[in-house]
Every structure is written in structure tokens, then in C-alpha cells.
Amino acid sequence: MTMSQRKSALATIAARPSEAPVNEGLDVSSIYGQNVYSLKTMREDLPKSVYKKLVATIQKGEPIASDIACEVANAMKRWAISKGATHFTHWFQPLTGATAEKHDSFIEPDHQGGVILEFKGGNLVQGEPDASSFPNGGLRATFEARGYTAWDPTSPAFIKESKTGSTLCIPTVFCSYTGESLDKKTPLMRSLQALSTQAKRVLSCFGEDSEGSISVSVGLEQEYFLVDKALFMSRPDLAQCGRTLFGAASAKHQQMDDHYFGAIRPRIIGFMEEVDKELWKLGIPSKTRHNEVAPAQFEIAPVFESCNWAVDQNMMTMEVLRTVADRHDLVCLTHEKPFAGINGSGKHNNWSIVSPSGKNLLDPGTNPHDNARFLTVLCAIIKAVNEYQGLLRMCVASAGNDHRLGANEAPPAIISIFLGDQLHDIIEQLEQGGATSSKSAASMHVGVDALPTFPKDTTDRNRTSPFAFTGNKFEFRAVGSNQSAAGPNTVLNTIVASALDEIATVLEGATEENFNQVLQDLLQKIVKENKQILFNGDGYTDEWKKEAVEQRGLLNLVTSPEAYEVLKKPEYIDVFNKYSVLSPAELECRYEVHTEVYAQIIEIEAQMTYEMAKTMILPAALSQVETLASNLTSLKGLGITAGTATLTASLEKVGGLVDALGSAIADLEPLVGSHDTPVVIAKMNAVRDAADAIEIEVADDKWPLAKYSELLFQY
Ligand code: ADP
Ligand code: MG
């Protein structure tokens, strides 16, 4: 009998030698940032005047002059070549949600049999990839299929190393011939600008005028799974869909909570060390690593960075996780729910707003003036999240995240805000603020009263909230592990810009004398109108779902298709349009792409479910039936009765399960490719249920797919 892929994978794993530690040591500061063309490198590399103009471009968003571009390109080329680069690429983020690159070498033939290495200002500033195959949601006719990439100097160029060479990667935006955005980065950058403009207006109402722009800090905690590559090879579902479409629960999974923060296995720590090293070389400040709740699940988090760069760094982090895993005979799964029945993976988006002078506007201050500003920004966020809760839900919607949101390990699909008891109490006081009755003892006078100092590490951390205040930042926890963080941050920046705009408009009408009163009244009104979004309780419970929807009127958009529909709402179209983040046509394009990608994923999963059930699982089950039947026939032929009762019972049981699987497969078959996705999903689930029931009845050596007990524990 030939060994199944699964059994030979297990043999491979068992035979792998365990390696003793080799502590070569690592001088972190000498490698840190060596592969990124950072401001520091540029300051050393560029003439002073060029450097100054470039910094002005980066910090103030001024357009880049062509002579500056040429100088920068030249210096960048020298630097890249010194790092062994032979090629450059514009590195962009089309609406696929992944990154894209098309390499060109620096070589230019000198027509005398040799080459010179060239990289012109034009090569740096603009590219024209043949982009006809990127999703465009109807924005581009095929006869105008050209797309343009344009340098984003706010995210530094970097070197991607491969086995025998390296490539200079230049972060760029990607747009159509007619200038419409076809990527995730352009709207993100526009939203940052909108937020800066509106937040500056509010700051100036507080007498805080200053040069420069407001920035956003983002820290992205990334969860992922690791499985052994040999076992992965026996799972076409993992290879095609990134998640297991089949698999009975293993006896032990996460019920003992012994993986969370557990000692990290030597093989995994070796992987993590190499990941950190690669990230540090890229100037990505990887900081935290640990085992997560589910077996074989881990987390990595960097120190926060400026929003645009943080989003790019996260895309590179996912890539580094995948490539380094491969070197360790592991496969990194970034899907939101690779395994049924245990925790899925998210990407916690920690977000705060920073003033031009570097003050975190979500840091409650130590004096009444700072407190007033803090409460104003806080109320803007409360208002934004409540009014645009549908958009926040929409921006984390994906076929993968549908398995996670609302499952009892992840925030529900209902958006709400957790403030913690102390801050919640202050907000309640604010609501009663100005009251002249005896209750006024509990009322908050903005600009007069000082807030208590909150402990930064609030002990009452609520892990069940999708949007939680954590000391000096908000943490948006509903983001999916596999998605680009660009979308969620674009939405957050835009809706908060809108709320700040409304606040600024009121405050600009106040006089010096009545400013505190106007502010007090405004914040009180905002709290009154939006407090239904505030929820400190357990977001996982059914009671909350009921209360949220029935009493508070909050949205509960359970599936992605429902969530995408909010993009048709006029007030949502308006907010993107008003702040020039996405035009109605650009937004329509996102709607088209989201719904199409969703349908394609379900179609691929349905096709894979059908194929695997029919060609792998059913044959294994039938082989079990055959073995049982022939054993039974033999016994009967020998006139032996012992054993026949067990065989008969097994045969009936497995036979019944085979029939159930057969009919579930037959039900699914005509629906593969159907756009009636809820029905397709129900039929896929029925096939899975039947197959998983068979898994624990079929002889182990006949089972073709790596089991959960192996995938989750043999690494
Ligand atoms: P956890 O939430 O797991 O306890 P931390 O609170 O330490 O972890 O930080 C999580 C992430 O939030 C990290 O990436 C961290 O750098 C980032 N972070 C910390 N402060 C801020 C801030 N003011 N703005 C944005 N991100 C922040
Ligand atoms: Mg966190």
C-alpha cells in the first residue's frame, strides 16, 4: 500500500531533527532600517537643499519638483545598488487587497555591448503598468485600461531581498488614466488630509494654531496561524481557500487555555526571531510576539507608526511572515478563520490623533484646558462612530471575516464603543452638564473641571467590544487578520473628520466669553444624541444583540453582502464625497469590487467543497464501506458469527453517513457558481457536516486529509 500524503507528512515531521540553539547574537541597532531608504539615510545621501524640499513634500504634502525628483532618484539608485538591487518596482495596493509589483531592471544598453544602470526622476515619480487585469469596478473601460502609479514620498522606499538578489520597492498610489483612484492607498491619504484640516480647525478654536499637519498614529496587532508545510500539502482547501473547508474538531483544542502566552516552542521562536530580524531590517519596529488563544495561533505587534506607513508596514509584515514561514517548512495562515470551532484571527487597529506639536489628542490632559480638548475629540469620535456605524461595519466585511465576527471569540457585527467605567461616568456627567439642580454635583463643566487621571492600562479591559478606548487610543478590533488596514483607517479618518467639521463650525461661532458654554452645550447635545453607541457590557451575549437592535436601534449587519449595501446610502456617499476621499463613482467602484470578490470567494469555496467531498472524502468513506463489507462476507463465508454484529452495525452507520454525504454533494453540485450565496453557504455547510461526521468513523489510515489534531498540534 502506498503511503498517503497525510501519513508521509506525519513521517516527515517525526523524522525532523530537533536543533540545538545556536546563539549567534544579533546587533539590532546595526541592522535596524538597513533596507529602508529612511529620512535618516536621505539626510546623509542628499544635498541639503534637496533634502529640505523633500521633507517639505513629505510633511506638508507639497508637490514634488522634477529637478528634486531627479536628484532623489539618483541617490536612491546608488543606495539600492549598494544593497545589491538590480531592479526597481512601483509597489502598490490595488483593490484586490494585496500588494502588487512589476519589476524593471536598472539596465540601459549603451549600444556598444555594455550597459549603464539608470533610474530617472520620471521612473521614480510615475509608472504606467499595463493594469488591465486589476479590479476596477467598472471605473475603466478596457480600451482605456492603462493605470498609473505615482510615488508616495510619505512612505519610504525599501529593499526586498530574495535568495540571490534584491529589488528596490517604491510605495506608490495607483489610479486610472482619468485620475480616479484604483487602490487602497489614495483614499487613505486623502482621508488623512481631511482629518488634518478639520482637526486643525478644532484646535484653533482652542487657541492652538500651529504650522504643520495633524497626523494619525496606528499600531496594528497581527494574529496568524502556523501549520507544518508537509501537512498543509495534504489540504487543497488550505492551499486554495486559506481555510479548512472540512475537519472534525480535535479532542483537545483550546478548551484548556494552555496555549495563550505559553512558552514558545523552539521551532516557532526560531521562526519569530527570523521574522523580527527581517522586519527590523525594513525599519518595521516589531515589538511584541506571543502565543495566542487557539493552538498554533500567534500574534505579532509593532510599535505604532504614522498611519500611512503603518498600513504599508503591515502589508510587508504579512509578506515577511509568509516567506520566513516557508524557510522553516511552515505555512503562515492569515485567513480570519482557518479552523472551525476555535478562535479566528483579527488585526487590532490601534488609532490615535496627533497634533502638529506631537501631542496625542486622545491623551486626557492634566489641566482643564487639555481635558476640554480631549473631551471634544472624544465626543467627535462617539458621534462619528454612531452616525457612521454602518460604514465601520462595512469596512471590515469580507467572506473570511464573516466566520469570525459574531462568533463567540470576536466582536459582534454590531458596532459599539467601550469607554471603561471611569470615562463612561464622565461622559454621563457631561450629558447632565450645566444642570443647575442639586444633581450638578455630578455634572461636568468642560474647560473648568479637571478629569481624574486615568490609569493607562485600564484594568477593566473589555475584549468583547469592537471599538474600545484603551487609555490614550481607540482599538478597532473587528478588522480581519487578512485585510489591508487601509480601508478601516480611511473610514475612521473620514467619519471623524466629518464630526470634527461640525464641531468646528459651531465653535467658530462662539466668542471668547461664551466659548465654554457653547462647548458645554455642544458636547452635551452630542452625548445625548449618540449615547446609544456606548456599551461597556459583554458584547458576546445574545441579550446584547437583542438590546442593541431592539432598544437602541443599532445596526446588526450579520453578513458581508448586507454590510456592503450601506455603500448605497446617500449620507454615506456624501461623507466620502464631501471630504474628497472617494467620489460617488469611486465609491460605486468599491461596492462593485467588494461584492464581486465576495461572490468569487464563495464560488471557489463551493467548488473546492464539491471537489474534495467527491474525490477525497467520499472515496475514503466508500473504501471503509468496502472493507467492512468484505470482512463481513469473509466471516460469513467461514461460518463465524463473532464480529458480524459489530461489522454490521459499523456498516450501517458508515453506509448511512455515506448516503447523507452523497445527497449533500448532489444538492451542492448544481449550486456551484450560483450567486444565491446564502443558499450556497448552507449547502456547503451541509456537505461539511456530513463529511466531518464520517471523519471519525473511517479507519485512520484511509483518511486523506490532515486532521485538526495534526494541523493544530504537529508543528
Ligand atoms: P495590547 O492592546 O495587546 O495590550 P498595547 O496596548 O501595548 O497592546 O499596544 C497595542 C498596539 O497599540 C501597539 O502596536 C502599540 O504600539 C499601539 N499603540 C500604543 N499607543 C498608541 C497610540 N497612542 N496610538 C496608536 N497606537 C498605539
Ligand atoms: Mg490590543
Side-chain angles (χ1 to χ4, degrees):
M1 197 175 117
T2 56
M3 216 195 258
S4 72
Q5 170 90 49
R6 168 176 162 244
K7 285 288 176 188
S8 80
L10 290 170
T12 305
I13 294 169
R16 222 176 254 138
S18 64
E19 285 164 34
V22 187
N23 197 339
E24 289 169 341
L26 182 65
D27 180 1
V28 179
S29 41
S30 77
I31 60 154
Y32 194 86
Q34 72 177 35
N35 284 349
V36 58
Y37 200 56
S38 62
L39 280 177
K40 186 167 156 258
T41 317
M42 285 194 252
R43 196 173 48 228
E44 290 158 7
D45 256 20
L46 293 168
K48 220 176 190 164
S49 61
V50 176
Y51 174 75
K52 266 181 129 169
K53 283 188 195 157
L54 185 65
V55 170
T57 306
I58 294 171
Q59 286 171 355
K60 295 184 198 144
E62 288 169 9
I64 191 105
S66 70
D67 55 326
I68 301 287
C70 280
E71 296 238 28
V72 177
N74 235 320
M76 205 185 268
K77 179 191 77 180
R78 266 185 275 118
W79 173 80
I81 290 172
S82 78
K83 301 274 167 196
T86 53
H87 288 69
F88 69 94
T89 180
H90 279 194
W91 185 77
F92 57 104
Q93 295 167 37
L95 297 175
T96 53
T99 58
E101 50 191 73
K102 174 191 159 224
H103 299 189
D104 281 301
S105 72
F106 292 122
I107 67 156
E108 241 3 284
D110 64 4
H111 301 296
Q112 292 167 32
V115 285
I116 46 170
L117 300 181
E118 228 175 43
F119 184 56
K120 300 196 178 114
N123 297 138
L124 169 66
V125 172
Q126 202 184 68
E128 196 184 320
D130 173 16
S132 50
S133 290
F134 289 110
N136 64 67
L139 265 188
R140 259 176 334 168
T142 35
F143 65 86
E144 242 339 323
R146 266 182 304 173
Y148 288 91
T149 50
W151 181 34
D152 163 19
T154 66
S155 180
F158 58 92
I159 296 279
K160 248 199 227 186
E161 289 175 321
S162 46
K163 197 170 169 202
T164 50
S166 49
T167 304
L168 170 66
C169 297
I170 300 148
T172 57
V173 298
F174 176 50
C175 61
S176 76
Y177 181 65
T178 45
E180 280 137 333
S181 143
L182 290 172
D183 69 347
K184 303 238 167 211
K185 201 177 176 88
T186 312
L188 177 65
M189 293 172 72
R190 292 173 181 162
S191 73
L192 286 164
Q193 201 152 13
L195 183 67
S196 175
T197 307
Q198 302 308 330
K200 277 188 83 168
R201 280 178 63 206
V202 171
L203 280 193
S204 93
C205 294
F206 281 87
E208 297 180 31
D209 278 311
S210 51
E211 280 281 300
S213 44
I214 301 263
S215 63
V216 168
S217 291
V218 167
L220 291 156
E221 301 164 60
Q222 175 74 46
E223 294 176 333
Y224 59 94
F225 281 85
L226 290 171
V227 296
D228 193 280
K229 200 198 292 180
L231 287 168
F232 173 90
M233 300 307 283
S234 79
R235 298 288 314 215
D237 45 0
L238 281 180
Q240 291 270 297
C241 309
R243 73 179 183 101
T244 54
L245 299 172
F246 299 97
S250 48
K252 182 183 175 194
H253 42 91
Q254 65 181 47
Q255 64 272 62
M256 297 178 69
D257 288 327
D258 52 351
H259 194 252
Y260 190 57
F261 285 11
I264 304 169
R265 291 188 192 180
R267 183 178 182 198
I268 301 303
I269 199 81
F271 157 83
M272 288 175 165
E273 279 160 358
E274 200 172 323
V275 166
D276 280 342
K277 185 174 167 190
E278 293 299 329
L279 293 177
W280 290 337
K281 280 176 13 189
L282 287 165
I284 299 176
S286 176
K287 176 92 174 166
T288 308
R289 59 191 189 199
H290 64 84
N291 286 2
E292 253 303 327
V293 171
Q297 190 187 29
F298 309 93
E299 181 179 305
I300 182 168
V303 178
F304 64 89
E305 261 296 351
S306 161
C307 179
N308 183 31
W309 196 13
V311 167
D312 284 1
Q313 289 188 338
N314 177 256
M315 297 307 286
M316 271 313 291
T317 300
M318 289 198 284
E319 185 172 324
V320 166
L321 286 170
R322 286 188 285 263
T323 45
V324 174
D326 190 61
R327 289 185 215 150
H328 290 251
D329 289 321
L330 292 162
V331 178
C332 175
L333 307 174
T334 50
H335 192 283
E336 284 79 9
K337 193 80 172 180
F339 303 98
I342 57 169
N343 277 17
S345 299
K347 176 155 22 213
H348 293 177
N349 191 97
N350 295 272
W351 181 93
S352 65
I353 312 176
V354 185
S355 78
S357 61
K359 206 178 300 173
N360 177 359
L361 300 182
L362 285 175
D363 217 342
T366 48
N367 60 61
H369 176 91
D370 286 357
N371 295 158
R373 189 197 48 220
F374 164 72
L375 288 172
T376 307
V377 174
L378 185 69
C379 285
I381 295 169
I382 292 171
K383 176 177 160 69
V385 172
N386 184 46
E387 286 178 5
Y388 297 103
Q389 46 182 288
L391 277 184
L392 282 171
R393 168 65 186 97
M394 182 284 303
C395 71
V396 297
S398 70
N401 219 12
D402 276 5
H403 296 283
R404 174 177 164 261
L405 297 182
N408 57 3
E409 94 271 346
I414 303 163
I415 300 293
S416 66
I417 299 179
F418 169 85
L419 290 181
D421 291 338
Q422 217 173 5
L423 194 52
H424 196 100
D425 186 49
I426 287 163
I427 290 294
E428 272 175 355
Q429 290 176 36
L430 199 55
E431 190 193 351
Q432 297 158 17
T436 47
S437 72
S438 56
K439 277 192 202 135
S440 64
S443 79
M444 180 78 210
H445 290 275
V446 176
V448 182
D449 294 351
L451 301 182
T453 34
F454 310 128
K456 279 258 155 49
D457 236 10
T458 33
T459 42
D460 55 348
R461 288 196 152 203
N462 180 331
R463 296 265 157 207
T464 68
S465 176
F467 200 83
F469 183 74
T470 45
N472 63 352
K473 62 188 195 282
F474 272 98
E475 185 169 338
F476 188 21
R477 302 207 184 98
V479 182
S481 53
N482 199 39
Q483 77 175 109
S484 155
N489 284 295
T490 301
V491 168
L492 255 176
N493 298 339
T494 307
I495 64 179
V496 174
S498 160
L500 289 170
D501 179 5
E502 281 185 46
I503 289 172
T505 304
V506 175
L507 295 183
E508 281 161 359
T511 61
E512 212 170 301
E513 290 71 46
N514 72 3
F515 181 81
N516 279 355
Q517 192 56 47
V518 169
L519 180 63
Q520 175 89 37
D521 294 346
L522 175 63
L523 299 191
Q524 186 177 20
K525 180 164 173 279
I526 291 175
V527 174
K528 278 205 162 100
E529 288 172 356
N530 297 283
K531 64 177 177 183
Q532 62 271 26
I533 200 78
L534 303 176
F535 177 61
N536 274 354
D538 184 351
Y540 293 173
T541 64
D542 288 334
E543 293 81 67
W544 165 238
K545 278 181 203 149
K546 215 166 128 78
E547 179 189 332
V549 176
E550 289 170 17
Q551 284 153 41
R552 300 189 182 212
L554 301 180
L555 291 173
N556 183 15
L557 305 169
V558 178
T559 66
S560 293
E562 288 169 80
Y564 297 145
E565 286 310 309
V566 306
L567 290 176
K568 303 257 162 179
K569 279 193 175 181
E571 64 269 35
Y572 290 177
I573 298 171
D574 285 350
V575 73
F576 284 118
N577 198 30
K578 182 167 179 193
Y579 299 99
S580 304
V581 173
L582 287 165
S583 70
E586 287 172 325
L587 194 64
E588 167 91 22
C589 150
R590 267 69 188 172
Y591 172 83
E592 294 296 329
V593 172
H594 286 323
T595 47
E596 196 181 323
V597 167
Y598 177 84
Q600 284 164 345
I601 289 173
I602 303 300
E603 182 174 340
I604 291 166
E605 291 190 344
Q607 173 78 30
M608 275 315 288
T609 301
Y610 174 76
E611 273 180 37
M612 287 174 67
K614 187 105 186 193
T615 65
M616 300 178 90
I617 295 168
L618 195 57
L622 288 172
S623 157
Q624 177 74 13
V625 169
E626 195 190 334
T627 306
L628 291 168
S630 75
N631 287 348
L632 187 61
T633 314
S634 309
L635 286 183
K636 284 185 173 164
L638 294 167
I640 295 172
T641 50
T644 56
T646 306
L647 280 170
T648 307
S650 297
L651 200 46
E652 274 174 3
K653 182 159 194 193
V654 180
L657 292 171
V658 164
D659 282 343
L661 178 63
S663 77
I665 294 173
D667 280 354
L668 176 63
E669 184 175 5
L671 288 165
V672 174
S674 152
H675 282 196
D676 191 354
T677 47
V679 175
V680 179
I681 290 170
K683 299 288 179 199
M684 277 166 50
N685 289 342
V687 173
R688 180 183 185 143
D689 288 344
D692 291 357
I694 289 177
E695 181 182 323
I696 50 173
E697 298 295 333
V698 167
D700 186 69
D701 63 353
K702 291 186 193 293
W703 196 253
L705 303 170
K707 296 183 172 181
Y708 273 25
S709 59
E710 296 152 357
L711 286 166
L712 293 168
F713 292 89
Q714 302 296 342
Y715 61 84

